[in-house]
């Protein structure tokens, strides 16, 4: 049996990678994908702890969080499409309408 | 065997995650994201969660990634240069997040899961029983959320001006 901290470490690495992506990349699509990566990393922690405590509440929570992630992807991509249609770019540095 | 599979999934999954963030072509990033999600499905299978593993493959590697790939193709994004690497602040913030997570992993608690789980652990029937008894309200709220998501996506994508 693999010790739990192994899974948690993988989860932490994936989460940090996703955070770097959200902070560093300027392409809104890549930022959305990094966000999905972070959500997935958290899901891995949930399932690992569910196995540790032999409680399936973690599985239910992952199920719900996957649903939320799907909704988030759909709405986020719709917003992205609208922005691209009017401004022909998905570079977040060019989207500073609210800053002025 | 389990250890071998764990390391394969870990190395491929983390490598895929790093490539998602650092690859120049958005299309390649999306494909690497699919690889990472499949590796995570493998982790779920190792952790005695066949139901979540299947859901991960169906919903994430299937539906969500197809959506993202469609949008990438519609936008027809060219390869971009990785312009700014982000300032020093970006790396400090990312390092801080990583440090906090490592500290969160460290504290002593039962390290190795005790014994083997019962055979029905994590199957569709067992998770479904839990979902429709103890977690009924969150499940119903999820359906409302999905409805809001559908309506929001349609209205946003239909509108002409932002």
């Amino acid at each position: 049996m693999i010790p739990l901290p192994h899974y948690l470490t993988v989860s932490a690495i994936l989460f940090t990678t996703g955070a770097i992506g959200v902070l560093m990349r300027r392409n809104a699509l890549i930022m959305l994908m990094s966000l999905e990566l972070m959500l997935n990393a958290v899901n891995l922690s949930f399932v690992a702890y569910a196995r540790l405590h032999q409680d399936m509440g973690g599985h239910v929570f992952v199920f719900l969080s996957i649903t939320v992630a799907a909704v988030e992807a759909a709405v986020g991509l719709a917003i992205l499409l609208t922005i691209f249609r009017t401004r022909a770019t998905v570079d977040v540095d060019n989207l500073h309408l609210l800053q002025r | 065997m389990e250890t071998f599979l764990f390391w394969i999934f870990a190395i491929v999954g983390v490598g895929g995650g790093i490539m998602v963030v650092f690859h120049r072509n958005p299309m390649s990033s999306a494909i690497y994201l699919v690889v990472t999600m499949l590796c995570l499905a493998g982790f779920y299978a190792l952790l005695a969660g066949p139901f979540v593993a299947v859901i991960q493959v169906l919903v994430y590697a299937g539906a969500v990634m197809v959506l993202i790939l469609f949008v990438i193709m519609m936008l027809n994004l060219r390869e971009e240069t990785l312009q700014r690497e982000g300032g020093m602040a970006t790396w400090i913030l990312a390092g801080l997040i990583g440090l906090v997570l490592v500290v969160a992993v460290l504290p002593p608690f039962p390290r190795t899961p005790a014994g083997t789980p019962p055979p029905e652990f994590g199957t569709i029937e067992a998770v479904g029983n839990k979902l429709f008894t103890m977690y009924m309200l969150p499940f119903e709220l999820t359906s409302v959320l999905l409805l809001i998501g559908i309506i929001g996506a349609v209205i946003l994508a239909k509108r002409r001006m932002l």
Side-chain angles (χ1 to χ4, degrees):
Chain A
M1 187 60 219
I2 311 280
L4 187 72
H6 284 48
Y7 289 105
L8 295 181
T9 311
V10 172
S11 166
I13 292 172
L14 280 177
F15 190 91
T16 313
T17 313
I20 291 173
V22 171
L23 292 171
M24 207 186 82
R25 296 302 298 264
R26 302 288 83 179
N27 186 333
L29 256 169
I30 308 272
M31 288 170 80
L32 262 181
M33 280 193 255
S34 304
L35 217 64
E36 298 286 335
L37 201 62
M38 290 163 81
L39 282 165
N40 268 288
V42 176
N43 285 351
L44 179 58
S45 291
F46 269 126
V47 178
Y49 274 112
R51 173 75 179 77
L52 176 75
H53 297 298
Q54 309 227 351
D55 178 5
M56 274 171 301
H59 292 189
V60 174
F61 213 102
V62 168
F63 177 76
L64 299 178
S65 120
I66 285 177
T67 319
V68 172
V71 172
E72 171 252 313
V75 175
L77 289 172
I79 292 173
L80 217 63
L81 268 180
T82 319
I83 291 173
F84 187 81
R85 215 184 271 152
T86 50
R87 321 198 59 158
T89 179
V90 286
D91 190 325
V92 290
D93 277 344
N94 293 335
L95 307 174
H96 43 58
L97 202 64
L98 292 180
Q99 282 178 7
R100 295 187 233 151
Chain B
M1 187 61 188
E2 196 186 344
T3 317
F4 174 72
L5 279 177
F6 173 85
W7 285 110
I8 292 282
F9 287 143
I11 291 166
V12 176
V14 170
I18 290 172
M19 289 306 278
V20 170
V21 172
F22 291 103
H23 207 285
R24 287 187 182 155
N25 192 341
M27 189 63 102
S28 310
S29 284
I31 299 296
Y32 279 116
L33 191 54
V34 174
V35 171
T36 305
M37 283 170 179
L38 289 178
C39 285
L40 282 169
F43 277 137
Y44 299 161
L46 282 182
L47 284 165
F51 175 63
V52 261
V54 170
I55 287 292
Q56 169 90 1
V57 173
L58 280 180
V59 177
Y60 253 130
V64 172
M65 288 319 296
V66 166
L67 200 64
I68 289 180
L69 281 173
F70 263 133
V71 171
I72 292 175
M73 287 191 253
M74 270 177 79
L75 299 191
N76 194 18
L77 297 172
R78 289 166 302 285
E79 259 190 43
E80 53 169 288
T81 48
L82 276 174
Q83 322 101 316
R84 226 153 315 121
E85 297 282 312
M88 208 58 206
T90 303
W91 289 103
I92 291 172
L93 193 56
L96 221 65
I97 292 172
L99 199 71
V100 167
L101 287 175
V102 167
V103 170
V105 169
L106 277 180
F109 47 77
R111 287 300 170 117
T112 313
T116 51
E120 76 272 8
F121 182 79
T123 57
I124 296 179
E125 189 185 350
V127 176
N129 270 334
K130 202 125 194 177
L131 191 60
F132 286 112
T133 52
M134 195 187 275
Y135 297 97
M136 191 67 200
L137 184 64
F139 179 77
E140 294 296 344
L141 288 178
T142 307
S143 64
V144 176
L145 184 71
L146 276 172
L147 186 66
I148 295 170
I150 294 169
I151 294 172
V154 168
I155 288 178
L156 275 171
K158 247 179 70 180
R159 206 153 51 163
R160 286 278 155 259
M161 298 293 283
L162 185 66

